[in-house]
Amino acid sequence: MTRATTVRAVLAAAVLLVSVLITLTMSPRLGLDLQGGTRMVLQAKDSDTARADRESTDRTLEVLRQRIDSLGVAEPTLTRSGEDQIIVELPDVQDPRKAAEVIGRTAQLSFHAIQGPDSGDEGRAEAGPTLPDEQGRALDLGPARLSGAGVKDATAAFDAQQGAGWTVSLDFHKQAGRDWTRLTGEAACHPVQDDRRRVAIVLDEQIISSPQVSPSVGCNVGLPSGSTQITGSFSADEARELALLIKGGALPLPVEIVEQRTVGPTLGAAAIDASARAALIGAAATALFITVVYRLFGALAAVALAAYGLISYAALVGLGVTLTLPGLAGFVLAIGMAVDANVLVFERAREEHAQHPGRSLRSSLTAGFRGAWSAVADSNVTTLIAAGLLFSLGSGPVKGFGVTLAIGVIASMFSALVIARALTEIAAGSRFVNDYRGVNGIAFPGRVRTWLTRRDPRLMRFPSRWLMVSTALVAVAVLGIAVRGVNLGVEFTGGRLVEYSTSRPVDVERARTALAGAGFGDAEVTTAGAGDISVRTGELDNDGEHALRAALAAEGGTTTKVRDELIGPSLGDELRRNALIALGIAVLVQLAYLAVRFRWTFAVASVGALVHDVIILVGAFAWLGRTVDGIFLAALLTVIGYSVNDSVVVFDRVRELWAKARRVPLATIADRAVLQTIPRTVNTGMGALFILVALAVLGGDSLADFALALLIGICVGTYSSVLTAVPAALVLERSSKAPPPARKRSPGRRSGTKAARRDPLDNGARV
C-alpha cells in the first residue's frame, strides 16, 4: 500500500469516526412536517410613524424572518393572517419563551452623547432621556445622533487578545459612519474619566453599553466606521442575541404575542414510515445497480456511498440544519447522485485499460482518477458557487437549501476521491483481483459502451435538428403555462386557515385521507391542541368550507369551527424576489466561471440548457395541473444543479479531445465526446432514478409531486446536456473566432524534450 493510499485511509477513518460520534451523541432538528413545533400569533400594533395595515405588516413579517434565520431555526413558516396578524411556526424549538422574547422585541437602537450625571434639570439644552448606565448610575443623555437603521452589520466575536471577552462589532453605512465619527470626535474633546467622554448605546430605552472613547483618539477626530466594538461582560448567547437584534433592525410595527401553542406534525406516522421505507429500498437498489455494473469496485463504491450518507447526515446534525421530509428525500437522492464521481472515475479507468491492455490494474485506476479530476472539480465548483450564493443572498428555505447542497457536494467529493479511492487502490493491490480481472469491474468495457462503439451513431451531424426539437419542447411547455396556468400552492398565493374542534380525536393521517377524498388533496393538516384540527388550504369559499367540515365530521363526530382566517403567502414577495436574485446571480457567476474554464460558447450553451430544463419542468407541471409549492421549489433547485453538472462533464470531454486533435472538425470531436460520456450519463441517471421511482411509488402522497418533479427534471436534464447543450455550442462556434483549446502538457513530460516520464508502476518491459 503506497503512502498516499495510507494517508487517504487514515483521513477517511478519522472523518468517519467523528461522524459516528456526532450521530450517536447529537439529535437531529426535525421540521414541522416531522415533529411539529411552536405556533405563535403576533398582533401588529399602530405606531407613531406607521399604521398596522397589510403593507406594513408584510414588512414586519420579513424582518421577523431575518431574525428567525439569525436564531438558527431553519425552515420556519411565517404567514400574514388578515390585515394585521402574523402566524409564526417554529420547528423543534427547545425554548419557546426565549424565541418569543427575541422575536417580539422591537429593538429600537440609538446612539447618544452623554452630558454628565443626572442633574435633575429637565430644561437643559438638547435634552435627551435620563437612563441608568451598566452600573446603575443615572446619566443625562443628549438626543439620539443616529439610529439602528444606520448599522450595516453586527457580529459577535470572542476577543481573546484584549481580554474583553465576548463583544459585538458594528459596521455603519456611509452617512451613519460619518455621524458616528463626528459623535466620537466630540466626546474625545473631554478629559479621560469624564462621563462626557463616553458614548451611550441604547437599546429599547436601556443603556446596554457606554464605552469611553480611547485616549488615543484626538478631539474632533473620532472613530472610523468598522472599528467599533460594544463591550459589556456579555455571555456568548447574550452577544449573539444582541448582534442579531441590531442587524435585524427595528420592527416597522410593534407586535404583541396574543397566542402561543404547540402544534403537531403535518405528516402522520404512516406517511413518514412509508417514505423512509421507500428511501431505503431506493438506496439499496442504487447500491445493487452499481455493484452489478462495476462488480467489486462497484461494491466498494457502494460502501463509500454509505460513508457519504453518514458524513452528510452528521454534518447536517452538527450544523443544526432542520430536516424536513422533502429535505430527507433530497438527502437520499443525493446518495444516488453522489455515485456520479465514482462512475466518472470507473468509466475513465475502463477507457485507459482498453487503450493500454498491458497496463497494471492500479495504474489504470490511477489514470482514471487523474482523467476524471477536471470534470469532477469543475462540475462541483459550479454547484458550490450556486450553493454559496443561495445561502448568502437567499432567505428562509432557499438559504437552508444552499447549506444542504454545499454539504452534499463536499461530502460526495470526499467519499469518491478519498474513501472510494483508498478502498479501490487497496483492492487493486490484491493478487486475487489482478489474477481474476473479471471481478474488478474495469477490465471490460461495459455493455452500453460496447453497443455504442459498434453502432457509432453520428448524433451531431445535424445539430440544428436537435435544437429544433428542444425549441419545440420549450414551446409546448410555454403553451402549457399560458393556457393552463401555473397552479401555485398556498405558500405562494395565501389562502385560508380554518381550525376545528372535534368530539372524537382524529389523527393527522385519517384527517388528510378524509379531506383528500372530499377533493382537498393539497390541504395541510396539523393537530393544534387537544382535539383540535388545523387546516391550511388555498382559496376556499363558504361552500368549500362546509364540505371540508363535513369530511372531518365523518371521522371526528361533531365538528365545531373555532377559527377561520384569511392568510397571506408564507413565501412572500420579498423572499421570492431574493430567491430569484440569488438564482440569477448564481447563473451569471456560473456563466463567467465556465467561460473562463472552457469557452464562452460552452458556457452559454450550458446555461441555455439549464433554462431549457427549468421551462420544460414548469410547463410539465402546468399541463399536469400539479401544484407548484415549496416542495416543487426544492426539486427545481436540485434539477438546476444536476443540469449544469451534466453539461460540464460532457464539455470537459469535448475540450480534452479537441485539444488532442485540433485539426479535426468540432462536430466529429463532439460525436466522440458524447459517445464516450453516455455510459457515465446513463449509469449516473439510473442511480438517481431507482431512488426516485421508489419514492414516487412507495413514498405516498406526501412525496409524489417531489419525486415526479425530479423524475421529469433528471430525464430532461440528461437529454439537454447531450442534445441541447452540445448542438447549441456547435452552432455558436460557427461565429466564434477563438482558436481550439491548447493541449495540456502531460505531467510526465519535461519541457524541451519529447520523452515521456515512465509510469512508476510500469517496469518498462515490452514484448
Side-chain angles (χ1 to χ4, degrees), residues 28 120 141 295 509 545 641 663 688 706 737:
L141 307 184
R295 312 293 174 86
E509 200 66 40
E545 190 275 324
R663 297 181 182 273
F706 179 79
K737 298 181 180 179

Side-chain angles (χ1 to χ4, degrees), residues 67-359:
R67 291 190 182 179
I68 294 170
D69 285 342
S70 300
L71 277 172
V73 183
E75 307 293 346
T77 300
L78 289 91
T79 54
R80 174 179 44 78
S81 174
E83 294 287 329
D84 56 1
Q85 285 191 338
I86 299 173
I87 300 175
V88 180
E89 293 175 325
L90 304 176
D92 192 24
V93 175
Q94 301 299 324
D95 189 353
R97 290 176 299 177
K98 179 72 171 178
E101 179 185 350
V102 173
I103 290 171
R105 289 177 65 178
T106 55
Q108 301 293 336
L109 185 75
S110 56
F111 299 79
H112 302 254
I114 295 178
Q115 298 180 348
D118 182 13
S119 63
D121 182 9
E122 297 183 0
R124 66 185 189 277
E126 296 186 333
T130 299
L131 298 173
D133 64 5
E134 302 92 317
Q135 287 75 40
R137 295 176 59 238
L139 298 175
D140 287 338
L141 307 184
R145 300 288 292 273
L146 64 155
S147 69
V151 178
K152 182 178 181 181
D153 195 12
T155 55
F158 186 78
D159 187 354
Q161 294 181 346
Q162 303 295 330
W166 281 93
T167 65
V168 177
S169 299
L170 301 182
D171 186 18
F172 296 94
H173 291 293
K174 190 172 182 179
Q175 180 57 47
R178 287 194 288 264
D179 294 338
W180 172 251
T181 300
R182 190 176 303 113
L183 174 61
T184 53
E186 293 173 2
C189 294
H190 299 284
V192 176
Q193 302 303 326
D194 190 321
D195 284 331
R196 292 173 296 175
R197 195 178 177 91
R198 298 159 63 191
V199 174
I201 304 175
V202 179
L203 180 67
D204 288 345
E205 299 184 356
Q206 178 182 352
I207 296 178
I208 58 173
S209 184
S210 56
Q212 182 174 197
V213 178
S214 172
S216 62
V217 179
C219 179
N220 293 324
V221 175
L223 291 169
S225 174
S227 62
T228 300
Q229 286 186 331
I230 301 177
T231 61
S233 301
F234 299 122
S235 66
D237 291 338
E238 289 171 342
R240 293 192 185 101
E241 179 183 324
L242 176 59
L244 77 89
L245 284 171
I246 294 173
K247 186 176 179 180
L251 294 177
L253 295 171
V255 294
E256 176 186 351
I257 299 175
V258 296
E259 181 184 336
Q260 181 173 338
R261 65 167 71 182
T262 301
V263 295
T266 59
L267 296 177
I272 296 173
D273 291 343
S275 302
R277 194 162 48 246
L280 289 175
I281 292 174
T286 298
L288 180 61
F289 170 75
I290 193 175
T291 301
V292 169
V293 174
Y294 297 108
R295 312 293 174 86
L296 174 63
F297 285 175
L300 295 176
V303 173
L305 288 177
Y308 158 82
L310 175 63
I311 294 170
S312 299
Y313 178 78
L316 292 171
V317 172
L319 292 175
V321 177
T322 299
L323 300 178
T324 61
L325 187 62
L328 287 174
F331 166 74
V332 176
L333 173 66
I335 296 177
M337 296 175 68
V339 75
D340 181 55
N342 294 296
V343 171
L344 277 170
V345 171
F346 294 156
E347 289 297 330
R348 291 303 294 255
R350 280 180 169 181
E351 292 177 18
E352 294 290 337
H353 190 79
Q355 294 173 7
H356 308 283
R359 176 177 284 182

Side-chain angles (χ1 to χ4, degrees), residues 522 621 626-627 629 631 635 701-710:
D522 295 332
F621 262 53
R626 296 280 186 163
T627 303
D629 52 12
I631 294 177
D701 295 337
S702 55
L703 287 177
D705 283 355
F706 179 79
L708 177 63
L710 284 172

